[in-house]
Amino acid sequence: MSQNIIPKAAVRGTASGVIFMAFFGTLWAGIGIRGLQGWGFLWLLIFSLLIGVILLIGGIVLIMNSKSLSNERAEGNSQRWKRKNMWFGIIFGLEGVLIAIAAGICGSTNHLDLFVPVMALIVGAHFFPLAQLFQVKIYYITGSLLCLLSAIALFTFPINVTWSNYQIMVWWTSVGFGSALILWGTGVAVWITGHRLLNRALNGSKEA
């Protein structure tokens, strides 16, 4: 496969996806840790940060290794990636607005415990247009799993439980750690895809 089919923008797009999954996966883990109300705080924090940093490094390495690629012979592809990035910004912005509205409603009605599952539902839903936009099929799985996790927590889990003198916020803990695992897993899958694209592009440039 020639390099003009796989431009630098495509590889860097997957790298950006890995970085996003690393960052937001770690944020969700932080929510899960918060829900434990101090139980296992230090070790869970170190473990979560370690996973996030490893994924972050993986995304950065992809970007660095893609420097030798060129978009000069793929202007059409580059323009398409610019449009994709524009729509990504719109989808991401809409997600942020909906999360802010949900936070306001949950806070004003004294149902802040609902916020984390509702946020997971919003985040899960935003993966469906992203899957269509970037043609990344695993995003459909990611979105479905996040929505399913939110529904299971809301309809089957208790809000809080007391365990070993700790008042554990079950919704926050289950959805926080569950979402982190889903996003980290997605990040690994996207990194593998980006690595394959990079190898194909580099091999194509050698054959050209």
Side-chain angles (χ1 to χ4, degrees):
M1 183 167 292
S2 61
Q3 184 178 339
N4 65 333
I5 297 178
I6 306 175
K8 181 190 296 184
V11 177
R12 293 199 167 187
T14 60
S16 298
V18 174
I19 293 171
F20 267 85
M21 298 304 163
F23 179 74
F24 288 104
T26 304
L27 282 184
W28 276 106
I31 292 174
I33 293 171
R34 172 68 178 84
L36 290 174
Q37 303 278 26
W39 184 85
F41 173 78
L42 181 60
W43 294 110
L44 288 171
L45 179 63
I46 293 174
F47 182 70
S48 299
L49 289 175
L50 181 61
I51 295 177
V53 168
I54 290 173
L55 276 176
L56 176 63
I57 292 173
I60 293 173
V61 169
L62 264 183
I63 292 175
M64 294 177 62
N65 289 340
S66 69
K67 287 182 178 180
S68 61
L69 303 182
S70 172
N71 286 324
E72 293 180 0
R73 291 187 292 166
E75 293 182 5
N77 285 332
S78 297
Q79 290 301 318
R80 281 196 294 273
W81 273 94
K82 288 181 180 179
R83 289 193 294 271
K84 288 176 185 289
N85 290 333
M86 179 192 71
W87 278 107
F88 169 76
I90 293 173
I91 295 169
F92 189 75
L94 180 60
E95 176 197 26
V97 170
L98 291 175
I99 289 175
I101 292 173
I105 293 174
C106 291
S108 62
T109 58
N110 293 319
H111 288 293
L112 196 57
D113 48 297
L114 278 170
F115 174 61
V116 169
V118 170
M119 180 168 60
L121 188 64
I122 295 171
V123 173
H126 108 289
F127 273 100
F128 295 110
L130 289 183
Q132 176 65 30
L133 178 65
F134 292 111
Q135 293 296 298
V136 179
K137 292 182 180 180
I138 194 173
Y139 284 171
Y140 287 115
I141 299 174
T142 302
S144 299
L145 288 176
L146 286 170
C147 292
L148 180 62
L149 174 64
S150 173
I152 290 174
L154 284 170
F155 293 110
T156 66
F157 294 168
I159 300 174
N160 300 295
V161 297
T162 301
W163 183 68
S164 187
N165 297 322
Y166 288 98
Q167 182 75 16
I168 295 176
M169 304 163 68
V170 178
W171 283 0
W172 284 45
T173 300
S174 59
V175 175
F177 286 125
S179 298
L181 291 174
I182 292 169
L183 293 182
W184 284 334
T186 302
V188 172
V190 173
W191 180 86
I192 292 172
T193 299
H195 191 65
R196 288 174 178 171
L197 285 175
L198 178 64
N199 285 339
R200 287 163 60 188
L202 292 176
N203 290 336
S205 64
K206 291 177 181 178
E207 295 173 1

